[in-house]
Amino acid sequence: MAQSLGTTRLHLASPVKITPIAPPDDNALLRRAFKLWLGPTGPGFQVRLFRKRITTTDQVRDVEMRVAAESYYHLWVNGCYVTRGPVFHHTAYLPVARLDLSPWWRQGENTVAVLVFTPGFPTHHVQTGEPGLWAAIRLRDAGGADHWIVSDHSWKATDRVGWRRYRVRHGWALGPVEVLDAAHHTWGWQEPDFDDTGWPEAEVVNVFSHPQPTPTEVDLPPLRFGWAQPQRLASVWSVSASAAPLEPDQSCEVLGEWLQQEPWTLAASGDPIARWDQDANRLSVEGLTPQRGLAVVLDLGQEQVGHITFDCACESPGIVEIAWSEVMCNRRPLVVHKGTTYVDRLIAHPGEQRWEALQFTGLRYLVLILRGFQGSVRFSRIGIRTSTSVPKIDAHFECDDSRLNEIWHLCARTVCIGTQETVMDCPSREQAPYLGDGNLVGRWIGVFNHDYRHWRYLLRLGFDSQANDGLLRDAPLFPVQRALLDYVLLTVVAVRDYVEITGERNVGRELLDGCCRAIAYFDRRLGADGLLKAFQVPGVRQAPWDIPGPPRRVASLDPHLFIDHPGLGGHNIGDAGIERRGRSGALNALYVLALEAIADLEAWVGQPDEAQRRRAVASRVRAAAGAAYWDARQRVFRDAIDDRGRPYPQVSEQTNVLAAMAELPGPASYADLILRVLAPDPDIARCGP
């Protein structure tokens, strides 16, 4: 390249053998557990609290719990936070978490507390609309005998939770704006000494409008939790005393835009005073009046992902708006960004209260906006309960270019905090496993950490909801009837790569049929000239998710030629200039790569004749694509040709890199080709970041 990297060192962890865990037979115990709820199961956003007291008189050697819920849960043992769940999943399955509770267990009386909530509408985490809790706890005594406690009528429950039921969403892919009325919340309910004698018994739900999902123990790395608190007080602003109106079913942008357009002025003499004690992690705001509001901006120092939490003590009622952002705009945190609103609300009452967000998010700047208070409000324990299932990338990169070293550290941290229950796009905005991005993230986690479970889980998700026409949803768990054509082919290649890297041919055998059905979609669109025909790309059809019980395959999905984000919005830069009209050279190159990938899979599972046939097709397409897209004068591959075979003028890095990977004939040297498209040239479209 034009710039030498100097001395480069990349150290990987020593190999660790990952042995898949077979689901144990005692998951049958969870099937015997009762599904618990209290009151109506819908409609809309709902929260329930559950408690179970367990007294042990004999010595307990270890304690293990299996827990599952529809749709989300948080678990505490003896007042200590343990975990959240479940993993993102299809509604045909009920992911069961297998937890060791021994670190929190003690001799005598113990309390298990579980919060379960459902958004009431589909997000990237699909719901059946029939919320509930399943649980089974195994106590092993000193003699090795097991004693089981399952969810039943002996558990206590309450619907006095204080969360107001709105259908106002944070964004198109996220859950609801959380509004907690502190006067109607049950405080301290997770603590072992809480008096729950007034709580009713939990109700057993035994009527289902959909088939009950199958309990399934998912083999994924567990979530790990930490703590991050603000590193500095960034700014203090004077704001209006009135909060934005919240109306049921209002657009997700309305609240954020109201906040962003609200006039803010830097606090001056005569305004309420905010005092920040970083060592004690305390914020004291004094001099508040119902006629004056105050916004306090706290900087966490770097991007964090997790649940916002704090304690506060108020002298009067008022409203605390909890807003957050990843970026600053004109010295103010951008609390509405790309159509997504980042704000929740605590309706505070006099006395002490605690905010613990139900949903995780990504942020750097935390904004506490106080309105309607009289006197003082004191905050403590402000921060983020951080979460990730990849605590670190077990590798090290270093070279003579400090900028590349910084990029390495930034990317490694992004992978870590961006990987939650599964690999996902945008923990702040989409919170979804996408096939194109997720396969690469899962692969690199495996390469560095020798743990390929995230990658394997995503591959299986992709084929679980394959359409009858063979296409795969770009986000397997989101109710959009859309397939990104390049993601489909990349996933086929990813299956081959997974088997090649891990040696798990059983996974290749399991997914080969789905790969063949996916490639058949493209086989049917292969022209007599050996090239794929042009694809018509309609608009996106947003459809309700209609897959209760076992995933039903839809007949077809709307095909989109994606390749670096064509006009779908939501990104920080303009669209890449790749040509998408006509017959795509990049797509033909990807088709060649996918054909070769399936041929490898077929050869590995003992189908040599099929493998030979695939390679013959790949050779014909490779030759035809080289002849059609190679521009010998410019020494590059063109992006596309029209129906008459005439090339469009556009050239892009994307098409040429894929052409080199597929070894399309034309260039004397693929290395020279890559250097050619990377060289400064205003006529060559660049890849997005």
Side-chain angles (χ1 to χ4, degrees):
M1 293 187 181
Q3 181 180 11
S4 171
L5 301 185
T7 304
T8 302
R9 295 181 294 277
L10 177 61
H11 305 293
L12 301 180
S14 56
V16 177
K17 180 175 175 57
I18 300 297
T19 304
I21 300 173
D25 292 339
D26 54 23
N27 265 351
L29 285 160
L30 196 66
R31 295 188 186 96
R32 295 205 298 270
F34 293 99
K35 180 181 179 181
L36 303 182
W37 196 246
L38 185 70
T41 57
F45 171 76
Q46 294 190 84
V47 181
R48 297 293 185 272
L49 312 178
F50 298 91
R51 281 172 57 91
K52 175 63 178 176
R53 293 182 186 272
I54 301 172
T55 302
T56 56
T57 56
D58 298 328
Q59 186 68 36
V60 175
R61 187 197 306 176
D62 61 74
V63 183
E64 194 172 81
M65 182 177 188
R66 287 157 183 75
V67 60
E70 160 72 25
S71 301
Y72 302 84
Y73 68 83
H74 294 273
L75 170 68
W76 292 260
V77 174
N78 291 327
C80 299
Y81 188 81
V82 176
T83 193
R84 70 164 189 256
V87 302
F88 289 23
H89 63 285
H90 287 293
T91 54
Y93 312 112
L94 184 67
V96 179
R98 189 176 187 180
L99 308 170
D100 179 11
L101 303 187
S102 302
W104 299 277
W105 210 259
R106 58 197 185 193
Q107 186 69 17
E109 187 172 277
N110 294 270
T111 302
V112 175
V114 188
L115 179 152
V116 180
F117 74 99
T118 179
F121 48 74
T123 63
H124 273 125
H125 183 152
V126 184
Q127 296 89 40
T128 65
E130 296 184 335
L133 168 69
W134 291 262
I137 301 170
R138 177 185 60 75
L139 307 173
R140 179 164 293 167
D141 62 27
D146 288 341
H147 308 272
W148 285 89
I149 298 168
V150 300
S151 50
D152 58 19
H153 282 299
S154 67
W155 290 56
K156 295 294 191 73
T158 185
D159 57 3
R160 183 178 171 81
V161 295
W163 275 280
R164 293 191 173 179
R165 293 170 61 178
Y166 290 98
R167 287 183 60 89
V168 181
R169 306 181 69 138
H170 280 299
W172 64 277
L174 301 179
V177 171
E178 299 174 26
V179 181
L180 176 61
D181 187 341
H184 296 91
H185 183 61
T186 302
W187 297 102
W189 69 277
Q190 305 102 319
E191 300 301 324
D193 57 357
F194 176 80
D195 183 5
D196 60 13
T197 54
W199 283 24
E201 292 180 346
E203 297 173 358
V204 170
V205 180
N206 53 17
V207 177
F208 296 84
S209 60
H210 307 310
Q212 289 197 55
T214 302
T216 305
E217 188 165 330
V218 177
D219 183 25
L220 279 170
L223 282 171
R224 305 187 187 195
F225 298 92
W227 177 254
Q229 65 186 52
Q231 298 302 300
R232 68 183 181 98
L233 175 64
S235 57
V236 182
W237 303 78
S238 177
V239 300
S240 68
S242 301
L246 263 179
E247 302 294 338
D249 295 314
Q250 77 180 26
S251 169
C252 57
E253 297 97 338
V254 170
L255 177 59
E257 288 175 352
W258 191 96
L259 283 170
Q260 206 65 48
Q261 294 167 8
E262 177 189 18
W264 284 20
T265 57
L266 286 170
S269 176
D271 289 324
I273 298 173
R275 294 187 174 89
W276 166 245
D277 184 338
Q278 181 173 339
D279 293 335
N281 190 8
R282 290 176 183 166
L283 172 68
S284 176
V285 182
E286 300 173 351
L288 292 162
T289 68
Q291 292 75 39
R292 288 182 175 181
L294 201 72
V296 181
V297 181
L298 299 167
D299 183 0
L300 297 168
Q302 61 180 341
E303 180 87 358
Q304 302 286 355
V305 173
H307 299 265
I308 298 172
T309 177
F310 58 79
D311 294 336
C312 69
C314 312
E315 294 181 356
S316 72
I319 290 177
V320 181
E321 288 177 308
I322 303 105
W324 62 94
S325 177
E326 297 174 305
V327 293
M328 287 282 196
C329 182
N330 296 325
R331 301 180 65 189
R332 285 175 56 175
L334 201 60
V335 299
V336 58
H337 193 33
K338 309 176 188 176
T340 303
T341 288
Y342 300 108
V343 62
D344 290 325
R345 182 175 292 179
L346 171 64
I347 303 173
H349 70 135
E352 297 182 354
Q353 47 239 293
R354 171 173 293 179
W355 173 267
E356 290 187 291
L358 299 175
Q359 302 161 96
F360 71 85
T361 188
L363 70 154
R364 172 170 175 173
Y365 302 100
L366 174 60
V367 190
L368 300 174
I369 307 172
L370 288 71
R371 308 184 198 266
F373 288 99
Q374 180 72 50
S376 67
V377 178
R378 291 177 171 81
F379 296 89
S380 60
R381 208 181 64 91
I382 310 167
I384 309 296
R385 184 198 297 130
T386 61
S387 57
T388 179
S389 58
V390 181
K392 67 174 183 175
I393 291 296
D394 203 357
H396 177 71
F397 173 87
E398 186 178 356
C399 72
D400 295 341
D401 188 328
S402 61
R403 183 164 172 261
L404 290 180
N405 292 335
E406 291 175 4
I407 290 172
W408 161 266
H409 291 297
L410 175 66
C411 292
R413 176 167 174 77
T414 299
V415 167
C416 292
I417 65 174
T419 305
Q420 297 293 310
E421 285 88 340
T422 63
V423 294
M424 63 175 57
D425 272 21
C426 313
S428 63
R429 180 174 177 268
E430 290 176 309
Q431 298 186 354
Y434 273 80
L435 294 179
D437 313 58
N439 273 307
L440 293 173
V441 175
R443 174 186 183 134
W444 282 106
I445 291 172
V447 167
F448 291 137
N449 290 14
H450 303 285
D451 188 341
Y452 293 91
R453 290 177 288 177
H454 282 303
W455 192 9
R456 181 174 61 214
Y457 186 70
L458 179 67
L459 289 171
R460 285 171 169 161
L461 273 186
F463 287 97
D464 271 347
S465 58
Q466 187 172 23
N468 287 341
D469 63 4
L471 293 181
L472 307 173
R473 283 185 174 87
D474 47 288
L477 298 177
F478 195 57
V480 172
Q481 309 292 61
R482 179 185 66 196
L484 304 182
L485 296 171
D486 41 317
Y487 277 23
V488 177
L489 294 172
L490 285 168
T491 301
V492 171
V493 174
V495 173
R496 187 274 314 278
D497 291 349
Y498 178 88
V499 177
E500 184 175 51
I501 292 172
T502 66
E504 296 180 19
R505 295 196 176 183
N506 60 310
V507 174
R509 192 173 288 105
E510 170 194 340
L511 301 179
L512 177 57
D513 180 64
C515 291
C516 292
R517 284 190 281 114
I519 207 71
Y521 177 90
F522 297 89
D523 293 342
R524 293 191 294 271
R525 288 156 178 80
L526 193 60
D529 60 357
L531 297 175
L532 293 172
K533 298 176 182 176
F535 286 84
Q536 298 299 317
V537 181
V540 175
R541 286 184 292 131
Q542 184 85 13
W545 191 266
D546 60 350
I547 307 186
R552 291 201 305 263
R553 291 198 183 102
V554 296
S556 63
L557 298 172
D558 294 337
H560 284 245
L561 181 60
F562 197 51
I563 306 182
D564 217 341
H565 300 72
L568 298 184
H571 297 86
N572 293 319
I573 63 170
D575 295 331
I578 186 172
E579 178 63 71
R580 295 183 179 86
R581 291 177 296 173
R583 305 167 73 182
S584 168
L587 197 65
N588 275 279
L590 273 173
Y591 179 48
V592 169
L593 291 170
L595 285 165
E596 295 283 7
I598 292 184
D600 288 340
L601 289 169
E602 288 170 333
W604 293 337
V605 301
Q607 300 177 15
D609 293 342
E610 284 297 306
Q612 186 176 0
R613 184 184 68 81
R614 299 274 185 204
R615 296 196 201 282
V617 176
S619 295
R620 291 195 297 272
V621 177
R622 181 182 287 113
Y629 299 103
W630 177 247
D631 184 329
R633 186 174 63 85
Q634 295 290 334
R635 298 180 294 110
V636 291
F637 287 97
R638 298 286 183 182
D639 280 349
I641 58 176
D642 63 18
D643 288 338
R644 297 184 181 181
R646 297 173 300 188
Y648 288 100
Q650 184 62 62
V651 175
S652 69
E653 292 177 344
Q654 295 91 326
T655 294
N656 281 272
V657 169
L658 289 169
M661 292 174 66
E663 298 181 340
L664 302 190
S669 163
Y670 295 116
D672 289 345
L673 171 66
I674 298 303
L675 291 174
R676 163 81 176 90
V677 297
L678 289 178
D681 187 333
D683 293 329
I684 297 178
R686 302 295 172 199
C687 293

